[in-house]
Amino acid sequence: MSTGVGQKQDRLHYWDFSRALYLVLGIPFHAAVIYSLTHEWSVSSPDKSQVLTWLADFLHTFRMPGFFILAGMFSIMLLERQGARAWLASRLVRLGLPLLCATLLILPFQIVVQSVALTLTGALPVPELQAHIVAQLTHFGEPWISHLWFLWALIAYCVALAGLHGLIGGARLRQRVNGLVGWVGDNRILSLSAFAAICQLAAQAQTAITTASPYYGNAVINYNLYAPYFGFGVVLFYSRTVHDLLLRPGVATLAAGVGLVTFSQISYAGLFTHTLAVMAGIFGALMIVGFISGLARRHFSHPDGRIRRLVDASFTIYLFHHPVIYVLATVFLLINLPPVVEFAIIAPAAGVIAYGIHLLFMRSRIAMLMFNGVMPKPVRTVPAAASGGSPVGLIR
């Protein structure tokens, strides 16, 4: 891929690793949220854990921001290479087909498992189980979105980016992005003040929307929350300055990022504290993402067959780890073990099973198209002398 001013460079493999990592981190996140004190998940254990609550909240603060930053960067990279119309058409297949297949085949299964879990916890009387399942299957609601929300959001962001690119033009968009980056660098105090004002408006809007409609308001916020990170990914592709700045953080910056995202999770009272929490969450997420990206650049900058396999499997793993965790969490409703012990079993088991599903799907071109959006291609072998490692192929 290319970065900065768009000069052609060798493929930056560490971005592939980082993108796959954020998807795979969905496994410990969803396994931990089962026992969360602050989130009532679809299949929740009556036994809660403060440690796992913190882990789920912590992962949530940077995992999806990191994913959408890289999604924005890869999107504009491919858009510039292919053109807006061709790129958007490929995105609708790459993202839309797995979304459709997972909606029709995975989500109904999850609805059934979730309903059974409700009977095990006593929240749903057994005689009402069948009627409840039918009602859930025939009425649109959150269970029909579930963990696929990121695909809906990503498709919407891609459509908006293609429209913007087509309207303004790639050269002018690049010029405006770099002009904005230059202005921010020359006016740091004013930029910080403007950022604080935007965060204050966002905090006010969040309060107003959730007050007007707690259920749908939170949904609207959550599904649009990552658009700024997607946009930041576009900036990251165009600007070498921002690219190098993001990858600069060391251990001290990581510690500061962890502190900021921890602060962003505290209960806030009043607009001022809410605004500070929003700002802390954004800055903290960028610091953690930057540290991870820099670490990946130091260790995963060269072709590696193991990383290639992780990248290829990450999308399928994300789609299928979720129903697997549903089943495992439901089973553990019948077993009385400490939450941390159950988590230590569920998380790795879900990862192994989801990866096994990917290996099974690799035997079928149709299955890979349905749930990965691509037809498997023969691996293009790179000589060891050229790659310095295992034979790998290039992913798209």
Side-chain angles (χ1 to χ4, degrees), residues 55-390:
L55 177 63
D57 290 344
F58 173 71
L59 290 175
H60 188 63
T61 57
F62 73 88
R63 183 179 66 89
M64 294 314 294
F67 170 80
F68 276 102
I69 287 172
L70 297 189
M73 185 179 67
F74 277 97
S75 292
I76 191 63
M77 176 190 72
L78 294 175
L79 189 156
E80 294 239 320
R81 180 185 302 170
Q82 300 172 5
R85 182 172 298 181
W87 170 76
L88 185 58
S90 69
R91 289 295 87 189
L92 292 178
V93 174
R94 178 72 171 90
L95 303 174
L97 190 57
L99 173 59
L100 175 62
C101 294
T103 298
L104 296 177
L105 299 176
I106 293 178
L107 297 190
F109 173 77
Q110 289 189 167
I111 288 172
V112 173
V113 175
Q114 180 184 3
S115 301
V116 171
L118 289 175
T119 64
L120 294 179
T121 59
L124 177 68
V126 175
E128 299 178 13
L129 175 60
Q130 183 176 352
H132 178 81
I133 292 175
V134 172
Q136 290 290 302
L137 290 174
T138 55
H139 292 80
F140 179 78
E142 192 280 333
W144 279 108
I145 298 176
S146 189
H147 65 306
L148 304 182
W149 68 268
F150 87 101
L151 288 174
W152 288 103
L154 188 52
I155 290 173
Y157 300 166
C158 288
V159 170
L161 179 61
L164 180 64
H165 191 275
L167 181 65
I168 297 178
R172 186 176 296 178
L173 180 59
R174 179 191 299 274
Q175 183 181 19
R176 292 188 178 183
V177 166
N178 282 295
L180 176 61
V181 171
W183 183 87
V184 169
D186 294 337
N187 302 273
R188 298 180 182 181
I189 295 178
L190 182 59
S191 300
L192 182 61
S193 300
F195 176 71
I198 292 172
C199 288
Q200 179 177 344
L201 291 175
Q204 288 177 308
Q206 180 180 2
T207 300
I209 292 172
T210 55
T211 300
S213 177
Y215 180 80
Y216 291 104
N218 276 310
V220 169
I221 291 171
N222 290 334
Y223 299 152
N224 292 280
L225 180 64
Y226 300 100
Y229 294 106
F230 185 85
F232 183 82
V234 175
V235 175
L236 186 66
F237 172 78
Y238 279 136
S239 173
R240 168 62 65 177
T241 300
V242 175
H243 174 274
D244 293 343
L245 185 63
L246 181 71
L247 270 67
R248 186 181 301 172
V251 176
T253 305
L254 172 65
V258 172
L260 286 172
V261 297
T262 301
F263 171 79
S264 71
Q265 297 169 17
I266 65 174
S267 300
Y268 46 79
L271 180 59
F272 178 74
T273 309
H274 191 175
T275 302
L276 289 180
V278 172
M279 295 177 65
I282 294 173
F283 280 127
L286 292 178
M287 289 177 178
I288 296 173
V289 168
F291 176 81
I292 292 173
S293 302
L295 196 67
R297 182 169 63 172
R298 290 194 295 273
H299 296 285
F300 302 106
S301 290
H302 303 287
D304 189 316
R306 296 168 299 176
I307 302 305
R308 164 64 192 274
R309 289 189 290 271
L310 174 63
V311 170
D312 287 350
S314 60
F315 193 49
T316 313
I317 288 175
Y318 186 86
L319 291 182
F320 282 92
H321 84 277
H322 206 260
V324 170
I325 289 180
Y326 266 48
V327 172
L328 295 176
T330 302
V331 170
F332 274 100
L333 290 176
L334 303 173
I335 304 172
N336 188 20
L337 292 176
V340 174
V341 174
E342 293 184 2
F343 168 84
I345 297 172
I346 291 175
V352 170
I353 295 171
Y355 183 67
I357 292 173
H358 171 74
L359 294 179
L360 183 64
F361 282 0
M362 285 184 65
R363 299 174 178 270
S364 169
R365 293 170 63 86
I366 300 301
M368 284 295 289
L369 181 62
M370 289 173 59
F371 293 103
N372 215 291
V374 295
M375 286 286 198
K377 298 178 180 179
V379 175
R380 188 199 316 168
T381 302
V382 179
S387 67
S390 307

